[in-house]
Amino acid sequence: MMLHIPEVLSQGELDRVRALIEAGPWVDGNETSGFQSALAKDNLQLAEGSAPALEAGALIAAAVGRHPLFVAGALPASVFPPMFNRYGPGKKFDSHVDNAIRINRTGQRLRADLSATLFLSAPDDYEGGELTVDDTFGVHQVKLAAGDLILYPSSSLHRVEPIIRGQRTSAILWIQSLVRDDAKRTLLFDMDMAIQNAGARLGQDDPAVISLTGGYHNLLRMWAEL
Ligand code: NI
């Protein structure tokens, strides 16, 4: 499932993140790549562990953690500290699948079930630079408003199209989900949305809503890995 999550950052938070990361330090994006992605990647990255990366990353991690749609769609067990990418004219990231396992600076390991791109540049600030994701339902091209996020399975082939004009800056997150299987997680999300819809119309104390809510939690209990 691909899920568009609007307004993850408020305008104030977006301004703060942009101000923090603007001056860098920006380094070659290949410093953190595996072998295959080093061939594919051609961009800049905010130096991992630098003060701006840590402060802006903490702000973003807090923002996604309190966004109900992100929590419902990702069912996050843990979120890898956000990384920041920047693409200028001619820069791109060819087709690749994200690494399965991420190891953070403290040695903590995370299985990447979901990848997320948080757009920090407004769509008008650049031409090209779409995030293109291939999934079982076809090819999706994504370019969102600044502050919006797209969530997609880390197992999907994806790329960033070459930038024709301007500059595209984004934050990238990897999420280990309580439910690693995308089909099961998607089913839970659809059920969650339907239950909320039914609850709003019938009332939270309607017997059918109570029964469906129980079904949701019992499926989550069956499938969740802590
Ligand atoms: Ni990627």
Side-chain angles (χ1 to χ4, degrees):
M1 174 181 67
M2 289 181 71
L3 186 62
H4 171 195
I5 302 177
E7 295 176 18
V8 167
L9 297 184
S10 67
Q11 188 61 49
E13 289 168 328
L14 184 60
D15 292 344
R16 177 78 185 133
V17 167
R18 283 171 168 166
L20 279 167
I21 68 174
E22 186 52 37
W26 293 94
V27 298
D28 187 330
N30 280 323
E31 280 195 4
T32 54
S33 301
F35 176 69
Q36 196 271 334
S37 20
L39 297 175
K41 193 196 264 186
D42 184 11
N43 64 7
L44 294 174
Q45 171 179 302
L46 189 62
E48 262 190 293
S50 62
L54 293 176
E55 192 174 344
L59 193 158
I60 290 168
V64 295
R66 63 173 177 260
H67 199 296
L69 195 57
F70 179 88
V71 173
L75 297 172
S78 48
V79 178
F80 194 76
M83 290 175 57
F84 298 85
N85 287 336
R86 174 164 281 179
Y87 298 78
K91 299 297 183 184
K92 61 186 167 55
F93 198 158
D94 289 333
S95 285
H96 65 282
V97 166
D98 288 348
N99 289 349
I101 308 293
R102 294 272 158 186
I103 303 173
N104 75 12
R105 294 168 55 253
T106 62
Q108 187 191 357
R109 289 184 300 176
L110 172 146
R111 184 190 64 237
D113 296 319
L114 287 159
S115 302
T117 298
L118 173 64
F119 289 77
L120 298 173
S121 301
D124 291 346
D125 287 351
Y126 60 100
E127 198 177 328
E130 294 84 0
L131 171 69
T132 303
V133 181
D134 298 345
D135 72 6
T136 48
F137 298 105
V139 178
H140 309 272
Q141 288 214 312
V142 183
K143 184 187 275 197
L144 300 179
D148 285 17
L149 178 146
I150 186 87
L151 194 61
Y152 53 100
S154 299
S155 54
S156 55
L157 204 56
H158 58 277
R159 60 187 175 274
V160 175
E161 304 293 345
I163 306 293
I164 296 162
R165 172 190 61 80
Q167 185 166 263
R168 173 196 193 273
T169 305
S170 60
I172 309 295
L173 296 87
W174 290 280
I175 299 107
Q176 180 167 327
S177 179
L178 293 168
V179 177
R180 71 191 292 177
D181 182 75
D182 187 60
K184 290 176 179 166
R185 199 184 323 106
T186 301
L187 175 66
L188 286 168
F189 176 75
D190 290 344
M191 226 178 138
D192 187 359
M193 294 301 109
I195 291 167
Q196 287 186 39
N197 191 326
R201 284 187 288 149
L202 303 174
Q204 298 299 334
D205 56 352
D206 185 274
V209 174
I210 292 170
S211 173
L212 286 166
T213 304
Y216 172 88
H217 283 286
N218 289 333
L219 278 175
L220 182 57
R221 199 184 325 279
M222 197 181 296
W223 291 339
E225 305 165 72
L226 298 175

